[in-house]
Amino acid sequence: MKTSEVLIIGAGPTGLVLALWLTKIGVKVRIIDKAEKAGTTSRAIVIHARNLEFYHQLGIAEMAVEKGIEIKAGNLWKRGKKAGHLPLADLHLSVSPYQFMLGLPQDEQEEMLQQQLAVLGIMVERSTELVSFEQSANSVRALLRKATGETEECEAIYLAGCDGAHSVVREQIGAGFPGGTYEEMFYVADLKSKGLFVPGEVNIALDDADFLAIFPLKRTGEQRLVGTIRQEAMNKEHLQWEDVSEGVISRLKIEVEELKWFSTYRVHHRVASHFRRGNAFLLGDAGHLHSPVGGQGMNTGIGDAVNLAWKLGAVIKEHVPADILDTYEPERIAFARRLVASTDRAFTFVTARGPFASWVRLNIVPVMLPLLAGFVSFRRLIFRTVSQLSINYRESGLSAGAAGVIRGGDRLPWVVLNTGGDNFAPLTTLKWQAHIYGTASASTEQLCDKQGFKLNVFPWNKATQKTGLKKNAIYIIRPDGHVGMVGTESGLEKIAAYCDRWGVR
């Protein structure tokens, strides 16, 4: 019987990132996927700044940026006329090393991640599906089936369900999947075309009843279109490009030179009732589905993977108390629920039919959005929200303390150093660490030595002050780049107690 420490079901971006992080910290993984081969097409295309920061920790951010296209602006179109421009990069904020959206299709990301796993000796086992599994107190025993019909039993300490919307793992742990399905049928198409849209930028077109989003691809002259199918064609068995809503296409004067790929799909909004039972966990689409507004789906799944990976590693490799795993579900399910609710409202608005909805969409939004975009504070809010930089775990049992505006659970602010480099460089160790911006006392140094984790001391400067960090405060940083605890020189006993409680070392 084959054994592993973590058995991962599903080799999409979520499962692959989970496997890569775990492998890098020395956890023995096995990753399977029922598909015969990796996909060559995909709906997801955008990587946001927070996930590029995770990719930086894994050492693949620059590789991803090289493969993709930096999207630094968006445009709003109303009935074929440009109605607004929203800069996404020139924010004067210095909030992340990656102040843009990266256009990189999911299938190309999967190829990159699989290559990185292969370098580490991990191969995706394809044509292999999970049939069922049973749990004991300390392990999971799973039954797998190959394409030939041959079955195999295997054992792992933990099982990660990254197996998508029709998750076998979700069904096996008895998690409900409440929510619904939108009425509209959508399409995604990769094509070579020309028209009124701005190349190299995101273009969103609003119409009386149609919706169209155009994303640039790095391949010269190619775009990805996401839009609606004509209502009268939605019940057809085999939908084709000729069935798309033509109004917005014609008003943007889009001429298709070559159709590379075309697919249709329904959009769902659902969150599983729970993300864990025993030693089995749900991640990505197995746990939550939402509309394509903001390109959040794939990014949220990768966030799930990072959150769970370091905690599994802490328990397996560092023998940290297993109750640290109890923080995975509340941290991630709370965000998933907020995300589904917000994208549902936005999606309902942009696709709503009827004279009033159309009037608001075509007369209020094109006026208000460009006006609001003129304010740095609005652009900052939009960027932080869409890029997932604003995600925090302040309500988590892992979060404690505050200094300045930074509290336990917040993402560590990005700081550019006067000497070159930044404060994110140490995060590539994928380990707990302490940060001080200013000077460290001998007592603090002794505490860090005793606990056995790295103390990073950075010079205090004006840029640091603007981030909300407090001079000489002690920030205990989780392996995923979130602040675990904030303390001070006078509270070293509390810091020591926190480190002992959560096995920080």
Side-chain angles (χ1 to χ4, degrees), residues 413-492:
W414 179 58
V415 177
V416 178
L417 307 177
N418 292 337
T419 55
D422 61 25
N423 66 330
F424 277 16
L427 301 181
T428 57
T429 63
L430 308 182
K431 295 180 179 180
W432 283 93
Q433 55 196 268
H435 284 204
I436 292 179
Y437 299 84
T439 57
S441 69
S443 298
T444 301
E445 292 176 348
Q446 289 171 5
L447 172 65
C448 293
D449 286 342
K450 180 182 177 182
Q451 297 295 147
F453 60 85
K454 175 72 173 175
L455 171 62
N456 299 279
V457 181
F458 302 96
W460 182 259
N461 57 35
K462 291 183 178 179
T464 307
Q465 187 175 10
K466 289 180 180 179
T467 66
L469 292 163
K470 187 174 182 181
K471 188 175 183 179
N472 298 336
I474 304 167
Y475 299 92
I476 308 301
I477 310 301
R478 303 171 8 163
D480 60 358
H482 282 265
V483 178
M485 181 181 185
V486 186
T488 62
E489 171 70 22
S490 62
L492 292 182

Side-chain angles (χ1 to χ4, degrees), residues 212-498:
L212 177 65
I214 305 173
F215 297 90
L217 296 173
K218 190 165 187 178
R219 300 185 291 269
T220 304
E222 290 189 28
Q223 303 83 33
R224 171 160 296 180
L225 273 61
V226 179
T228 50
I229 294 292
R230 290 184 293 110
Q231 275 197 309
E232 59 270 25
M234 286 197 299
N235 294 323
K236 287 178 60 176
E237 187 174 352
H238 300 292
L239 292 166
Q240 301 175 354
W241 172 254
E242 290 72 22
D243 297 310
V244 307
S245 294
E246 296 178 347
V248 67
I249 296 286
S250 62
R251 276 188 270 275
L252 285 179
K253 296 183 171 26
I254 295 176
E255 298 179 15
V256 178
E257 298 173 347
E258 182 181 0
L259 181 64
K260 300 279 188 176
W261 174 64
F262 176 82
S263 181
T264 59
Y265 62 101
R266 293 277 187 182
V267 175
H268 305 269
H269 50 104
R270 302 178 184 275
V271 181
S273 55
H274 51 272
F275 283 8
R276 178 191 185 190
R277 175 158 292 173
N279 287 1
F281 300 83
L282 297 179
L283 302 85
D285 287 354
H288 44 82
L289 295 171
H290 28 82
S291 84
V293 170
Q296 301 293 303
M298 177 178 62
N299 288 270
T300 305
I302 292 172
D304 294 343
V306 171
N307 188 289
L308 182 61
W310 74 264
K311 294 171 183 176
L312 288 174
V315 175
I316 295 169
K317 304 303 293 185
E318 304 294 336
H319 307 293
V320 170
D323 61 353
I324 196 172
L325 297 174
D326 294 340
T327 66
Y328 167 70
E329 178 178 303
E331 287 187 355
R332 296 307 297 176
I333 203 169
F335 173 64
R337 286 170 175 162
R338 289 195 303 271
L339 181 64
V340 167
S342 59
T343 57
D344 177 55
R345 289 193 295 269
F347 192 71
T348 299
F349 170 74
V350 299
T351 59
R353 298 178 182 275
F356 179 72
S358 178
W359 181 83
V360 172
R361 195 163 52 237
L362 296 177
N363 294 280
I364 301 299
V365 174
V367 173
M368 293 301 298
L369 188 61
L371 179 65
L372 292 171
F375 295 93
V376 171
S377 58
F378 177 77
R379 300 201 301 269
R380 177 183 299 175
L381 174 65
I382 293 296
F383 182 74
R384 283 185 177 276
T385 302
V386 173
S387 65
Q388 300 196 354
L389 295 177
S390 61
I391 293 175
N392 70 73
Y393 305 126
R394 290 182 174 184
E395 304 304 316
S396 172
L398 266 173
S399 303
V405 300
I406 306 301
R407 294 171 53 185
D410 289 350
R411 163 188 166 269
L412 176 68
W414 179 58
V415 177
V416 178
L417 307 177
N418 292 337
T419 55
D422 61 25
N423 66 330
F424 277 16
L427 301 181
T428 57
T429 63
L430 308 182
K431 295 180 179 180
W432 283 93
Q433 55 196 268
H435 284 204
I436 292 179
Y437 299 84
T439 57
S441 69
S443 298
T444 301
E445 292 176 348
Q446 289 171 5
L447 172 65
C448 293
D449 286 342
K450 180 182 177 182
Q451 297 295 147
F453 60 85
K454 175 72 173 175
L455 171 62
N456 299 279
V457 181
F458 302 96
W460 182 259
N461 57 35
K462 291 183 178 179
T464 307
Q465 187 175 10
K466 289 180 180 179
T467 66
L469 292 163
K470 187 174 182 181
K471 188 175 183 179
N472 298 336
I474 304 167
Y475 299 92
I476 308 301
I477 310 301
R478 303 171 8 163
D480 60 358
H482 282 265
V483 178
M485 181 181 185
V486 186
T488 62
E489 171 70 22
S490 62
L492 292 182
E493 290 184 0
K494 291 182 179 180
I495 295 175
Y498 176 90

